[in-house]
């Protein structure tokens, strides 16, 4: 296990994951999910800019923690494989409980929730590949 955080690499990976997730969120919401959104969610709230700020902050926080946890468990194996495994497990951890709880607490159609959950897993898989490629070849520090 990696016991010392490489701050420069962590910052680069955090920025890369943030950018990739931001681009994917834009593309997915504009191209894939736009036809699935229920009518009531298409209204623009008055404080849309503040909501966007909070969304970007939450995405940045997620990226920082996502990369940090990857760096803790990084084993020095080839980046894509380890990134895919990590992205899959984090994606499932984040999406499956959310889909099931949303089925209970919202009136959204089940197919919308399932598609949204599957898309989220794919987004996090891609983020895992990105962080895996950035960490590829890093020497594993020992304590």
């Amino acid at each position: 296990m990696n016991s010392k955080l490489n701050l420069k690499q962590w910052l680069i990976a955090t920025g890369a994951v943030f950018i990739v997730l931001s681009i994917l969120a834009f593309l997915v919401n504009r191209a894939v999910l736009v036809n699935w959104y229920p009518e009531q969610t298409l209204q623009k709230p008055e404080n849309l800019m503040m909501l966007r700020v909070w969304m970007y902050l939450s995405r940045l926080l997620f990226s920082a923690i996502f990369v940090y946890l990857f760096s803790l468990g990084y084993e020095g194996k080839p980046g894509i494989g380890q990134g895919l495994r990590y992205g899959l497990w984090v994606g499932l951890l984040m999406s499956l409980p959310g889909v099931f709880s949303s089925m209970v607490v919202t009136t959204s159609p089940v197919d919308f929730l399932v598609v949204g959950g599957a898309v989220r897993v794919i987004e996090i898989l891609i983020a895992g590949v990105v962080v895996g490629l950035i960490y590829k070849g890093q020497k594993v520090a020992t304590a």
Side-chain angles (χ1 to χ4, degrees), residues 70 74 76-85 128-137:
F70 180 87
Y74 181 67
K77 294 180 180 176
I80 293 177
Q82 191 165 350
L84 274 172
R85 283 190 304 277
V129 169
V130 168
V131 75
L133 288 172
I134 291 172
Y135 272 78
K136 180 181 177 183

Side-chain angles (χ1 to χ4, degrees), residues 48-88:
L48 184 62
M49 194 53 153
M50 195 61 201
L51 291 174
R52 284 186 180 157
V53 169
W54 283 111
M55 188 59 88
Y56 282 118
L57 286 174
S58 69
R59 194 175 296 134
L60 182 61
L61 180 63
F62 172 81
S63 300
I65 294 170
F66 182 79
V67 173
Y68 179 71
L69 290 175
F70 180 87
S71 72
L72 288 178
Y74 181 67
E75 300 168 341
K77 294 180 180 176
I80 293 177
Q82 191 165 350
L84 274 172
R85 283 190 304 277
Y86 177 68
L88 174 67

Side-chain angles (χ1 to χ4, degrees), residues 66-137:
F66 182 79
V67 173
Y68 179 71
L69 290 175
F70 180 87
S71 72
L72 288 178
Y74 181 67
E75 300 168 341
K77 294 180 180 176
I80 293 177
Q82 191 165 350
L84 274 172
R85 283 190 304 277
Y86 177 68
L88 174 67
W89 289 114
V90 172
L92 290 173
L93 175 66
M94 290 191 62
S95 294
L96 285 179
V99 168
F100 289 126
S101 63
S102 294
M103 286 179 185
V104 175
V105 299
T106 68
T107 59
S108 298
V110 173
D111 52 352
F112 169 72
L113 297 173
V114 171
V115 169
V119 166
R120 185 71 176 152
V121 170
I122 293 168
E123 289 175 337
I124 296 173
L125 263 172
I126 293 169
V129 169
V130 168
V131 75
L133 288 172
I134 291 172
Y135 272 78
K136 180 181 177 183

